[in-house]
Amino acid sequence: MGTNLKFKKRKSQLKSINRVLLKHFLLLSVLLICLLEVICFLIVNNTAKSTAKERLIRVGREAAELVDDEAEATEFIRNYRQDGIIVYVLSQSGEVLLPSDETVWNGDMREIIEKLDKEDKESAQVIYSQDNALNYAMRLDYGGGSYLVATYSLGIINGASRLLLVYFVIVGVTVLLLTAMVAYNVSQKLSSGLKNLSTTAVRFSEGDFAVNFANAEYQELADLSDTLNSVRDEVKKSGDFQRELIANVSHDLKTPLTMIKAYASMIREISGDNPEKRDKHLQVIIDEADRLTGIVNDVLNVSKLSSNLDGIKFKVFNLTEFLYGMLNKFDYLQETQGYTFLVDVDANLYTRADEEKIGQVIYNLLSNAVNYTGEDKTVYISLKRNMTAERIKLTVRDTGKGISKEDLPEIWNRYYRIKENHARPVKGTGLGLNIVKIILENHSFDFGVESELGKGSSFWIDFPAVPEKEEND
Ligand code: ADP
């Protein structure tokens, strides 16, 4: 409850992807639009002004060249009035000399003379802005010393710039609206994909293993879906394994426990005083206790191997000697129960593997051969190097009933048992071959079985052969 509250509190402090995306998208768009528009505006405005300046100077100079021909100069000046360029030729006192049909000029002559004086006297010309207009003035020799003044009103450019600004605002707002729509759409799609996955995950967490995480719209979400699907499969597998384990183990434990209890009661009530009977009954109890130990060990091994708790510890060892050591453990069967182990083994074959785990594998194969071999109670074991001395093949063969084609692929699975009575010395749990399979797969060793009904089965493992000198690596 406490953690739930904390979780809820933390959740309420989190930001929604939708809002964050929208906010950042809009912020970025506003910034970009403003930046672009300011740059555009400055470029347009400056270009317009510098073009106007160049034109003003050009018209002024052309007019200055025409002043000697009054009529032509007047016409020239008149023509440019329509374009907004106003040219006057003035005397030192400000009287209008040209155009010849005008008499009044409303400017300040002193100011122009001052501006020209401030400039480099040699150039005798000046360009300056004043009263929202661009002005060009130059000294002339005409009329014994006069001035040409050309003016261009910046009002036209400023008006055009204002219009441009209005356009920019309209375009900006439109782009912003479009961006907002796109951002909203994208964020909506993205978050709806995530919401779907999250809803599916909630169903999954409630134990529905039939859920399917799916998102084909975006690569990253599709990858996440795939990962979640494999998590689902793993969780399901491990859940199945646990259920299967509990069901099988409790079933397997029940029989020996019942037997132990029954024989213990029998000793107490019937055979306690009869040493012969008592010993027989005690032997059953010991056998069943061994069986219990076997079951518990197998279960522990399978769960340890399945959860990969201890990895494979590779080392080089003498496989021939190791196999002989394993066979010694079965000596009591030869001595007391008439089993024959026919062994054909090459001397001093070395391999690189996890010795302890390979011991488990060989023990399981030998136990099965003993359990399932035929009436002759014979088991054939061979360990042979191949022609190129690169591989070693271990074969454990029995003469039993064999395994049918349908059962062959299944025997490696957990708890798979072919319906059969095996009242034999080494009792199975249905986990033996599964342990063999997991260990050999973890080693990446090839292994398999050939079997024919009525003739027997032959289990084999392919080991890598390594030189003896690597033994202490
Ligand atoms: P179990 O503990 O029952 O022997 P295993 O996993 O070792 O379990 O083997 C699975 C099943 O495969 C056995 O129950 C048996 O039916 C079959 N099997 C294994 N080895 C042999 C064999 N050598 N000959 C015939 N059947 C076999």
Side-chain angles (χ1 to χ4, degrees):
M1 195 63 190
T3 41
N4 231 355
L5 266 178
K6 229 169 40 193
F7 188 54
K8 270 194 186 134
K9 200 172 147 212
R10 215 177 51 223
K11 257 179 95 172
S12 67
Q13 289 165 350
L14 295 177
K15 295 170 188 158
S16 118
I17 287 190
N18 261 345
R19 288 212 349 234
V20 173
L21 233 129
L22 206 63
K23 197 172 107 189
H24 284 88
F25 240 112
L26 287 182
L27 215 71
L28 195 72
S29 316
V30 169
L31 267 173
L32 277 177
I33 291 167
C34 288
L35 199 73
L36 275 177
E37 294 198 344
V38 166
I39 290 173
C40 268
F41 182 77
L42 288 179
I43 290 175
V44 169
N45 204 292
N46 278 348
T47 319
K49 278 188 177 157
S50 68
T51 316
K53 203 166 146 184
E54 275 168 28
R55 229 171 138 228
L56 192 62
I57 294 172
R58 190 169 44 82
V59 171
R61 284 184 183 157
E62 275 180 36
E65 278 170 22
L66 294 173
V67 284
D68 290 332
D69 184 340
E70 248 177 56
E72 201 182 336
T74 302
E75 199 194 332
F76 181 82
I77 291 168
R78 285 253 153 256
N79 277 343
Y80 275 100
R81 289 271 157 102
Q82 290 147 16
D83 290 353
I85 299 175
I86 297 153
V87 181
Y88 282 104
V89 177
L90 304 159
S91 72
Q92 302 217 357
S93 54
E95 286 163 42
V96 178
L97 302 178
L98 282 174
S100 52
D101 52 352
E102 279 187 40
T103 49
V104 186
W105 173 69
N106 292 325
D108 187 348
M109 204 58 225
R110 265 177 316 158
E111 207 176 357
I112 293 170
I113 296 170
E114 248 171 52
K115 285 248 186 300
L116 274 166
D117 284 346
K118 254 195 230 160
E119 280 297 304
D120 179 7
K121 296 238 160 66
E122 291 294 302
S123 74
Q125 56 176 319
V126 66
I127 180 115
Y128 60 96
S129 314
Q130 200 177 44
D131 302 335
N132 207 20
L134 201 61
N135 302 298
Y136 173 71
M138 72 186 292
R139 285 199 181 86
L140 293 177
D141 295 335
Y142 175 71
S146 56
Y147 295 91
L148 181 138
V149 180
T151 310
Y152 182 75
S153 170
L154 287 177
I156 301 165
I157 292 179
N158 289 343
S161 296
R162 268 195 296 279
L163 201 65
L164 195 69
L165 262 182
V166 173
Y167 284 146
F168 274 169
V169 169
I170 293 169
V171 170
V173 169
T174 316
V175 170
L176 210 65
L177 282 177
L178 284 176
T179 317
M181 271 163 63
V182 171
Y184 181 76
N185 243 333
V186 169
S187 67
Q188 204 61 18
K189 268 188 186 167
L190 200 69
S191 66
S192 86
L194 283 171
K195 266 187 211 147
N196 281 346
L197 287 183
S198 145
T199 318
T200 319
V202 168
R203 272 173 45 215
F204 173 53
S205 75
E206 287 164 358
D208 181 357
F209 291 124
V211 290
N212 184 32
F213 294 94
N215 190 301
E217 196 118 23
Y218 300 102
Q219 182 63 51
E220 288 78 1
L221 290 185
D223 289 348
L224 178 63
S225 307
D226 288 348
T227 312
L228 288 171
N229 279 331
S230 53
V231 168
R232 174 205 61 199
D233 292 344
E234 283 306 313
V235 170
K236 184 172 183 300
K237 250 198 262 168
S238 113
D240 288 350
F241 173 53
Q242 275 176 22
R243 270 187 295 280
E244 188 189 46
L245 198 71
I246 290 167
N248 284 301
V249 168
S250 40
H251 177 261
D252 279 351
L253 293 180
K254 234 192 241 157
T255 325
L257 281 175
T258 316
M259 296 273 277
I260 289 172
K261 192 177 168 203
Y263 277 84
S265 304
M266 259 157 67
I267 293 170
R268 194 180 63 188
E269 280 151 28
I270 306 167
S271 60
D273 297 334
N274 180 338
E276 211 174 296
K277 266 192 179 168
R278 191 186 56 207
D279 279 356
K280 236 169 97 184
H281 292 166
L282 278 174
Q283 190 55 48
V284 175
I285 291 178
I286 290 167
D287 286 349
E288 290 305 313
D290 282 347
R291 181 160 155 68
L292 273 182
T293 314
I295 294 171
V296 171
N297 281 342
D298 275 1
V299 169
L300 283 179
N301 277 335
V302 165
S303 42
K304 243 192 344 197
L305 287 167
S306 304
S307 55
N308 239 340
L309 273 183
D310 51 358
I312 302 290
K313 296 177 198 89
F314 280 99
K315 75 172 223 192
V316 174
F317 61 94
N318 186 327
L319 188 57
T320 311
E321 294 304 318
F322 187 68
L323 180 62
Y324 278 128
M326 296 299 309
L327 288 169
N328 285 343
K329 291 189 185 169
F330 289 83
D331 270 355
Y332 73 100
L333 291 178
Q334 302 201 64
E335 285 155 17
T336 60
Q337 307 202 23
Y339 279 88
T340 313
F341 281 41
L342 290 175
V343 180
D344 178 12
V345 169
D346 285 350
N348 289 328
L349 297 177
Y350 283 82
T351 193
R352 198 170 165 277
D354 186 318
E355 195 173 12
E356 193 188 324
K357 293 206 164 62
I358 292 301
Q360 242 173 298
V361 168
I362 296 178
Y363 182 85
N364 288 356
L365 292 186
L366 291 175
S367 305
N368 279 352
V370 167
N371 264 337
Y372 302 108
T373 198
E375 292 302 315
D376 61 358
K377 289 192 170 180
T378 307
V379 176
Y380 297 82
I381 297 117
S382 85
L383 189 70
K384 293 272 156 196
R385 201 190 339 233
N386 73 350
M387 302 279 274
T388 54
E390 282 167 354
R391 317 291 316 172
I392 305 168
K393 193 165 183 179
L394 169 72
T395 314
V396 178
R397 182 166 70 83
D398 63 68
T399 58
K401 288 186 183 168
I403 305 160
S404 72
K405 281 218 161 43
E406 303 81 68
D407 285 322
L408 263 187
E410 307 288 343
I411 54 169
W412 306 98
N413 295 338
R414 234 174 253 147
Y415 289 115
Y416 189 84
R417 277 184 231 178
I418 302 166
K419 285 185 186 57
E420 194 177 354
N421 261 346
H422 41 88
R424 280 283 167 85
V426 189
K427 298 209 169 123
T429 55
L431 292 174
L433 287 181
N434 187 243
I435 293 174
V436 169
K437 178 181 156 203
I438 298 175
I439 292 177
L440 293 177
E441 279 178 352
N442 286 348
H443 276 78
S444 307
F445 288 174
D446 277 348
F447 61 94
V449 55
E450 274 117 40
S451 188
E452 205 176 317
L453 279 177
K455 288 207 169 156
S457 318
S458 175
F459 286 80
W460 59 267
I461 305 169
D462 184 43
F463 290 96
V466 298
E468 181 184 353
K469 60 175 159 34
E470 278 187 27
E471 191 172 8
N472 297 319
D473 278 2

